[in-house]
Amino acid sequence: MRILLLGGTAEARALAARLHPRVEVISSLAGRVPDPALPVGQVRIGGFGGVDGLIGWLRENPVDAVVDATHPYAAGISANAAAAAAGVGLPHLLLARPAWDTGAALTVDSNAEAAAVVAEKAYRRVFLTTGRSGTAAFLGSDAWFLIRAVTPPDRQLLPPNHELLLSRGPYSYDGEAALLREHRIEAMVTKNSGGAMTRAKIDAATDLGIPIVMIDRPGLPAGITTVDTVEDAIAWVQRLV
């Protein structure tokens, strides 16, 4: 059996490792992160060119199924994968890690809404952990931001008052608590990414009484098969076999 695994997440790497070598896995990474953690098996890096490009790739590179284990906020990729798999009649699965319990966090629908909350609440020192694509909404803010990202955002998309921290998880509770104290953070803006790699910031902020503004996940494509654990994804592939 041969599957196309749309990856880039810890879950995708774990799934590739568990299936190899009984199943031939071709892992596809978007290529937006330099020096990415690579899964076992075959790897391709780069986009497909939308739905039509992915359909063309699937016709030129026959596989038995498509498994989407991309980041929960990669809504465009997930929509394209669902449409392309349907277009060529392939089984398709979405592996979406469970969201965090939002607890007392203020949930918003977008970066723009998060920026509006920061302005309304007059937060002065903000820990911004929405990734490199989330900074543009805060360009007009008077607040100071500690911005953590894997790769640096474009300079013209950074708010005027900021410190850039380039790093990659996993993060520890003690380290996150120390970071929040050291920078006298008054509020955190984050996505509901789920998973254990970055959960510590949520726990540390909650225990320190720091308000959390959490950007909700985008909706999933309608009518697709979805699981939330690597074990369930393995079981789905085994049923195909």
mmCIF file of all heavy atoms in Angstrom, residues 68-98:
data_model
loop_
_atom_site.group_PDB
_atom_site.id
_atom_site.type_symbol
_atom_site.label_atom_id
_atom_site.label_comp_id
_atom_site.label_asym_id
_atom_site.label_seq_id
_atom_site.Cartn_x
_atom_site.Cartn_y
_atom_site.Cartn_z
ATOM 1 N N ASP A 68 -4.321 13.543 5.592
ATOM 2 C CA ASP A 68 -3.994 14.932 5.897
ATOM 3 C C ASP A 68 -3.724 15.047 7.386
ATOM 4 O O ASP A 68 -4.628 14.941 8.208
ATOM 5 C CB ASP A 68 -5.168 15.828 5.479
ATOM 6 C CG ASP A 68 -4.962 17.286 5.836
ATOM 7 O OD1 ASP A 68 -3.869 17.636 6.322
ATOM 8 O OD2 ASP A 68 -5.906 18.077 5.628
ATOM 9 N N ALA A 69 -2.448 15.254 7.738
ATOM 10 C CA ALA A 69 -2.074 15.442 9.145
ATOM 11 C C ALA A 69 -1.354 16.777 9.293
ATOM 12 O O ALA A 69 -0.374 16.894 10.022
ATOM 13 C CB ALA A 69 -1.188 14.295 9.627
ATOM 14 N N THR A 70 -1.840 17.793 8.584
ATOM 15 C CA THR A 70 -1.244 19.116 8.645
ATOM 16 C C THR A 70 -1.692 19.846 9.915
ATOM 17 O O THR A 70 -2.492 19.347 10.700
ATOM 18 C CB THR A 70 -1.622 19.943 7.409
ATOM 19 O OG1 THR A 70 -3.057 19.976 7.274
ATOM 20 C CG2 THR A 70 -1.031 19.328 6.153
ATOM 21 N N HIS A 71 -1.168 21.050 10.100
ATOM 22 C CA HIS A 71 -1.483 21.861 11.279
ATOM 23 C C HIS A 71 -2.972 22.203 11.294
ATOM 24 O O HIS A 71 -3.578 22.400 10.234
ATOM 25 C CB HIS A 71 -0.646 23.140 11.243
ATOM 26 C CG HIS A 71 -0.654 23.894 12.531
ATOM 27 N ND1 HIS A 71 -1.642 24.800 12.844
ATOM 28 C CD2 HIS A 71 0.206 23.881 13.578
ATOM 29 C CE1 HIS A 71 -1.399 25.314 14.040
ATOM 30 N NE2 HIS A 71 -0.290 24.783 14.510
ATOM 31 N N PRO A 72 -3.590 22.271 12.476
ATOM 32 C CA PRO A 72 -5.020 22.573 12.534
ATOM 33 C C PRO A 72 -5.420 23.883 11.863
ATOM 34 O O PRO A 72 -6.595 24.067 11.532
ATOM 35 C CB PRO A 72 -5.298 22.630 14.050
ATOM 36 C CG PRO A 72 -4.242 21.766 14.666
ATOM 37 C CD PRO A 72 -3.032 21.948 13.810
ATOM 38 N N TYR A 73 -4.460 24.793 11.667
ATOM 39 C CA TYR A 73 -4.787 26.079 11.033
ATOM 40 C C TYR A 73 -4.418 26.115 9.550
ATOM 41 O O TYR A 73 -4.520 27.169 8.919
ATOM 42 C CB TYR A 73 -4.120 27.230 11.790
ATOM 43 C CG TYR A 73 -4.787 27.476 13.122
ATOM 44 C CD1 TYR A 73 -4.519 26.663 14.218
ATOM 45 C CD2 TYR A 73 -5.728 28.490 13.287
ATOM 46 C CE1 TYR A 73 -5.155 26.864 15.435
ATOM 47 C CE2 TYR A 73 -6.365 28.698 14.487
ATOM 48 C CZ TYR A 73 -6.083 27.885 15.561
ATOM 49 O OH TYR A 73 -6.727 28.064 16.756
ATOM 50 N N ALA A 74 -4.016 24.978 8.993
ATOM 51 C CA ALA A 74 -3.720 24.907 7.561
ATOM 52 C C ALA A 74 -5.009 24.612 6.806
ATOM 53 O O ALA A 74 -5.138 23.599 6.108
ATOM 54 C CB ALA A 74 -2.662 23.832 7.300
ATOM 55 N N ALA A 75 -5.970 25.525 6.931
ATOM 56 C CA ALA A 75 -7.314 25.277 6.400
ATOM 57 C C ALA A 75 -7.317 25.149 4.884
ATOM 58 O O ALA A 75 -8.049 24.326 4.322
ATOM 59 C CB ALA A 75 -8.250 26.405 6.830
ATOM 60 N N GLY A 76 -6.503 25.954 4.210
ATOM 61 C CA GLY A 76 -6.465 25.893 2.750
ATOM 62 C C GLY A 76 -5.958 24.555 2.248
ATOM 63 O O GLY A 76 -6.517 23.980 1.305
ATOM 64 N N ILE A 77 -4.901 24.057 2.876
ATOM 65 C CA ILE A 77 -4.343 22.767 2.470
ATOM 66 C C ILE A 77 -5.361 21.655 2.703
ATOM 67 O O ILE A 77 -5.551 20.767 1.861
ATOM 68 C CB ILE A 77 -3.039 22.484 3.246
ATOM 69 C CG1 ILE A 77 -1.982 23.539 2.911
ATOM 70 C CG2 ILE A 77 -2.521 21.085 2.943
ATOM 71 C CD1 ILE A 77 -0.729 23.429 3.753
ATOM 72 N N SER A 78 -6.029 21.691 3.852
ATOM 73 C CA SER A 78 -7.002 20.643 4.163
ATOM 74 C C SER A 78 -8.167 20.661 3.185
ATOM 75 O O SER A 78 -8.651 19.604 2.751
ATOM 76 C CB SER A 78 -7.513 20.813 5.597
ATOM 77 O OG SER A 78 -6.467 20.553 6.527
ATOM 78 N N ALA A 79 -8.638 21.852 2.830
ATOM 79 C CA ALA A 79 -9.728 21.948 1.861
ATOM 80 C C ALA A 79 -9.293 21.425 0.497
ATOM 81 O O ALA A 79 -10.040 20.700 -0.181
ATOM 82 C CB ALA A 79 -10.199 23.395 1.751
ATOM 83 N N ASN A 80 -8.068 21.773 0.088
ATOM 84 C CA ASN A 80 -7.557 21.291 -1.200
ATOM 85 C C ASN A 80 -7.404 19.777 -1.205
ATOM 86 O O ASN A 80 -7.712 19.108 -2.209
ATOM 87 C CB ASN A 80 -6.210 21.943 -1.511
ATOM 88 C CG ASN A 80 -6.340 23.417 -1.831
ATOM 89 O OD1 ASN A 80 -7.433 23.925 -2.045
ATOM 90 N ND2 ASN A 80 -5.212 24.114 -1.837
ATOM 91 N N ALA A 81 -6.920 19.219 -0.101
ATOM 92 C CA ALA A 81 -6.722 17.769 -0.026
ATOM 93 C C ALA A 81 -8.052 17.034 -0.129
ATOM 94 O O ALA A 81 -8.166 16.026 -0.834
ATOM 95 C CB ALA A 81 -6.016 17.402 1.277
ATOM 96 N N ALA A 82 -9.075 17.544 0.562
ATOM 97 C CA ALA A 82 -10.386 16.903 0.509
ATOM 98 C C ALA A 82 -10.958 16.952 -0.903
ATOM 99 O O ALA A 82 -11.487 15.953 -1.411
ATOM 100 C CB ALA A 82 -11.333 17.587 1.493
ATOM 101 N N ALA A 83 -10.832 18.105 -1.555
ATOM 102 C CA ALA A 83 -11.382 18.254 -2.902
ATOM 103 C C ALA A 83 -10.620 17.399 -3.909
ATOM 104 O O ALA A 83 -11.219 16.769 -4.793
ATOM 105 C CB ALA A 83 -11.336 19.718 -3.324
ATOM 106 N N ALA A 84 -9.290 17.352 -3.789
ATOM 107 C CA ALA A 84 -8.488 16.583 -4.740
ATOM 108 C C ALA A 84 -8.724 15.085 -4.584
ATOM 109 O O ALA A 84 -8.845 14.360 -5.578
ATOM 110 C CB ALA A 84 -7.007 16.914 -4.551
ATOM 111 N N ALA A 85 -8.779 14.611 -3.336
ATOM 112 C CA ALA A 85 -9.029 13.181 -3.119
ATOM 113 C C ALA A 85 -10.390 12.783 -3.678
ATOM 114 O O ALA A 85 -10.529 11.730 -4.314
ATOM 115 C CB ALA A 85 -8.938 12.861 -1.627
ATOM 116 N N ALA A 86 -11.384 13.626 -3.450
ATOM 117 C CA ALA A 86 -12.706 13.344 -4.008
ATOM 118 C C ALA A 86 -12.669 13.375 -5.529
ATOM 119 O O ALA A 86 -13.327 12.572 -6.200
ATOM 120 C CB ALA A 86 -13.722 14.353 -3.483
ATOM 121 N N GLY A 87 -11.873 14.282 -6.089
ATOM 122 C CA GLY A 87 -11.805 14.418 -7.531
ATOM 123 C C GLY A 87 -11.234 13.217 -8.241
ATOM 124 O O GLY A 87 -11.588 12.950 -9.398
ATOM 125 N N VAL A 88 -10.341 12.491 -7.569
ATOM 126 C CA VAL A 88 -9.753 11.299 -8.196
ATOM 127 C C VAL A 88 -10.279 10.008 -7.567
ATOM 128 O O VAL A 88 -9.809 8.924 -7.886
ATOM 129 C CB VAL A 88 -8.207 11.344 -8.116
ATOM 130 C CG1 VAL A 88 -7.663 12.509 -8.917
ATOM 131 C CG2 VAL A 88 -7.730 11.408 -6.674
ATOM 132 N N GLY A 89 -11.231 10.133 -6.641
ATOM 133 C CA GLY A 89 -11.857 8.948 -6.057
ATOM 134 C C GLY A 89 -10.994 8.176 -5.089
ATOM 135 O O GLY A 89 -11.091 6.941 -5.028
ATOM 136 N N LEU A 90 -10.167 8.890 -4.296
ATOM 137 C CA LEU A 90 -9.292 8.216 -3.341
ATOM 138 C C LEU A 90 -9.849 8.312 -1.924
ATOM 139 O O LEU A 90 -10.433 9.336 -1.546
ATOM 140 C CB LEU A 90 -7.899 8.851 -3.357
ATOM 141 C CG LEU A 90 -6.975 8.492 -4.510
ATOM 142 C CD1 LEU A 90 -5.675 9.290 -4.399
ATOM 143 C CD2 LEU A 90 -6.667 6.997 -4.518
ATOM 144 N N PRO A 91 -9.642 7.276 -1.092
ATOM 145 C CA PRO A 91 -9.958 7.402 0.328
ATOM 146 C C PRO A 91 -9.152 8.545 0.937
ATOM 147 O O PRO A 91 -7.967 8.734 0.608
ATOM 148 C CB PRO A 91 -9.529 6.046 0.914
ATOM 149 C CG PRO A 91 -9.505 5.111 -0.248
ATOM 150 C CD PRO A 91 -9.109 5.936 -1.438
ATOM 151 N N HIS A 92 -9.791 9.279 1.834
ATOM 152 C CA HIS A 92 -9.165 10.467 2.398
ATOM 153 C C HIS A 92 -9.468 10.539 3.883
ATOM 154 O O HIS A 92 -10.610 10.327 4.312
ATOM 155 C CB HIS A 92 -9.696 11.715 1.677
ATOM 156 C CG HIS A 92 -9.333 13.009 2.361
ATOM 157 N ND1 HIS A 92 -10.255 13.771 3.037
ATOM 158 C CD2 HIS A 92 -8.155 13.660 2.463
ATOM 159 C CE1 HIS A 92 -9.663 14.838 3.525
ATOM 160 N NE2 HIS A 92 -8.388 14.800 3.201
ATOM 161 N N LEU A 93 -8.439 10.838 4.669
ATOM 162 C CA LEU A 93 -8.586 10.937 6.124
ATOM 163 C C LEU A 93 -7.938 12.221 6.607
ATOM 164 O O LEU A 93 -6.861 12.593 6.147
ATOM 165 C CB LEU A 93 -7.919 9.743 6.817
ATOM 166 C CG LEU A 93 -7.955 9.757 8.354
ATOM 167 C CD1 LEU A 93 -9.364 9.440 8.853
ATOM 168 C CD2 LEU A 93 -6.943 8.763 8.937
ATOM 169 N N LEU A 94 -8.579 12.880 7.563
ATOM 170 C CA LEU A 94 -7.995 14.037 8.231
ATOM 171 C C LEU A 94 -7.671 13.670 9.668
ATOM 172 O O LEU A 94 -8.559 13.267 10.424
ATOM 173 C CB LEU A 94 -8.967 15.223 8.211
ATOM 174 C CG LEU A 94 -8.508 16.470 8.962
ATOM 175 C CD1 LEU A 94 -7.263 17.077 8.316
ATOM 176 C CD2 LEU A 94 -9.617 17.506 9.033
ATOM 177 N N LEU A 95 -6.402 13.775 10.030
ATOM 178 C CA LEU A 95 -5.959 13.562 11.408
ATOM 179 C C LEU A 95 -5.803 14.934 12.050
ATOM 180 O O LEU A 95 -4.878 15.678 11.733
ATOM 181 C CB LEU A 95 -4.634 12.795 11.437
ATOM 182 C CG LEU A 95 -3.886 12.726 12.775
ATOM 183 C CD1 LEU A 95 -4.773 12.133 13.866
ATOM 184 C CD2 LEU A 95 -2.598 11.919 12.625
ATOM 185 N N ALA A 96 -6.733 15.287 12.929
ATOM 186 C CA ALA A 96 -6.742 16.600 13.578
ATOM 187 C C ALA A 96 -6.581 16.418 15.076
ATOM 188 O O ALA A 96 -7.470 15.871 15.739
ATOM 189 C CB ALA A 96 -8.048 17.333 13.276
ATOM 190 N N ARG A 97 -5.458 16.859 15.606
ATOM 191 C CA ARG A 97 -5.232 16.712 17.047
ATOM 192 C C ARG A 97 -6.314 17.461 17.835
ATOM 193 O O ARG A 97 -6.816 18.487 17.399
ATOM 194 C CB ARG A 97 -3.847 17.234 17.423
ATOM 195 C CG ARG A 97 -3.723 18.732 17.378
ATOM 196 C CD ARG A 97 -2.376 19.219 17.898
ATOM 197 N NE ARG A 97 -1.303 18.971 16.965
ATOM 198 C CZ ARG A 97 -0.499 19.930 16.489
ATOM 199 N NH1 ARG A 97 -0.673 21.185 16.855
ATOM 200 N NH2 ARG A 97 0.470 19.638 15.659
ATOM 201 N N PRO A 98 -6.683 16.939 19.020
ATOM 202 C CA PRO A 98 -7.730 17.592 19.806
ATOM 203 C C PRO A 98 -7.345 19.020 20.185
ATOM 204 O O PRO A 98 -6.179 19.311 20.465
ATOM 205 C CB PRO A 98 -7.846 16.701 21.052
ATOM 206 C CG PRO A 98 -7.282 15.376 20.636
ATOM 207 C CD PRO A 98 -6.206 15.687 19.639
#
